[in-house]
Amino acid sequence: MWFSIFAYLSIFFILSYFTFNEYRIGHTIDVIGCRKHMIKPIIVIVLFVGLRAFVYTDFENYYPAFDMLDNSVESLLHLIIFKGWEIGFIVYMWICKILVHDYFAWNFLSACIDMTLLYLIIKRYSKSPVFSLLVFFTMGCMDLEFNVLRHAKAILIFLYALRYIEDRKFWKYFTCIVIAVFFHTSAILYLPFYFILNRRWPKLVIWGIFAVGLVVYFLQIGIMSNILQYLPIGFDDRADYLMDKYVVSTGSAYGLSFGSIERMIIYILVALNYDRYKGPNGQTYMFGNMFFCLFIVFFYLTENVTIVQRFQYMFYACYWFIYPWLILGYLNVNKIISVTLACVIFMKILIVSVAPHQRYETILLPHMSYEQRVIYTHEHF
């Protein structure tokens, strides 16, 4: 476990050094500058993510699935029928299996593809791209790159498609979302955001979402259960299963916590500075609005932990842009706020580093086998 803590904190401090260097030299965003200052931290993350052994929980599904594939179309069709996953992701796995036959080699290849997409996204929307990579590492990297691999691909495609919202190119955005749906079905929920994500929301709506959210959260009002309990059941086995999973089998996460306090503070700061966010290409409301959606997920739907876990990933990327913007924006105005937010980032990586199910192991050193890690995961998660 000590190696895992050392690994997480080492990467964090390496990325922090790159971030400090970016701030010290007063980095201005351009194509050459992005390539120069992002390449080293990107390589660090690729090596960390791509050279992992069996980490987190979903490797239990992906390792056997990848092992079932070979170069034949028959294995592809068998896995599509057997797993019931989205076809796009299974085809993606199959193509990768043709290129690289080893599961760990697939991890590395997949990490390279994801980080290439992330590079294109961050350099377009962040004035402090290395800082954004640091926040990505602490808030989202382990979930997306170690665990929810299908969801991660859909999210990255959606983030890439944001440029078509800015450029008002609906059919290109629509095409990207359709592709994302083939990796994770939940991506279909991104379609309506073409019309609202980059629009300025009225302050009354913004503060109304906050106020109502606090009432729903602290009074423990079950919105989803109150709505879904009136839907007819018994007509479809799949529908019955989903009703049981998302309504009956709820897990309460109400009450004050580190996470809820942090989200309330960030919401207030974003709302107060709503009109001030500017990316390299000018003003955009997308990431502020994305955070408001994330707030809705946590404070309106928290009656069911499963729902929150599934839908938080859809908007979690807003942190990668909001945190650098707030910390650097308040640095010369209110250092207490900047230092506090920086401490939050550090606390988040500490929480990750000591989580038993996220215990990091690398294929470069002796590590647990698949069977050993499965037993370990079931004992600690």
Side-chain angles (χ1 to χ4, degrees), residues 148-164:
V148 290
L149 305 186
R150 291 177 292 139
H151 211 160
K153 296 293 185 294
I155 291 168
L156 289 171
I157 293 171
F158 161 69
L159 293 174
Y160 181 84
L162 292 179
R163 63 193 63 210
Y164 301 127

Side-chain angles (χ1 to χ4, degrees), residues 127 269-279 282-285 325 329-330 333:
K127 286 188 174 182
L269 293 176
V270 171
L272 291 175
N273 298 277
Y274 183 58
D275 294 314
R276 298 177 184 174
Y277 184 90
K278 290 185 179 180
Q283 187 176 45
T284 177
Y285 295 105
W325 166 56
Y330 275 102
V333 179

Side-chain angles (χ1 to χ4, degrees), residues 271-319:
L272 291 175
N273 298 277
Y274 183 58
D275 294 314
R276 298 177 184 174
Y277 184 90
K278 290 185 179 180
N281 298 315
Q283 187 176 45
T284 177
Y285 295 105
M286 290 190 294
F287 301 108
N289 294 342
M290 207 180 294
F291 181 80
F292 300 151
C293 294
L294 183 67
F295 180 88
I296 290 173
V297 170
F298 276 105
F299 280 77
Y300 286 69
L301 308 178
T302 196
E303 64 187 283
N304 190 294
V305 175
T306 304
I307 292 178
V308 173
Q309 288 176 341
R310 291 292 182 267
F311 289 97
Q312 65 170 320
Y313 301 126
M314 294 183 64
F315 309 109
Y316 215 67
C318 63
Y319 276 128

Side-chain angles (χ1 to χ4, degrees), residues 193-212:
F193 287 94
Y194 177 85
F195 304 100
I196 62 174
L197 198 59
N198 200 31
R199 293 185 179 276
R200 187 184 185 279
W201 294 8
K203 285 295 182 72
L204 182 63
V205 172
I206 294 172
W207 289 112
I209 291 173
F210 183 70
V212 174

Side-chain angles (χ1 to χ4, degrees), residues 8 59 65 67 77 122 135 163 176 188 202 223 237 258 264 267 269 272 304-305 322 338 343 354 361:
Y8 282 116
F59 72 89
D67 193 52
L77 297 176
I122 286 181
V135 179
R163 63 193 63 210
C176 287
I188 197 171
I223 294 180
D237 292 339
F258 172 75
M264 286 188 287
Y267 193 103
L269 293 176
L272 291 175
N304 190 294
V305 175
I322 286 175
S338 293
C343 289
V354 299
E361 292 185 315

Side-chain angles (χ1 to χ4, degrees), residues 323-335:
Y323 259 88
W325 166 56
L326 290 175
I327 290 175
L328 296 178
Y330 275 102
L331 196 59
N332 297 321
V333 179
N334 191 324
K335 285 185 171 59

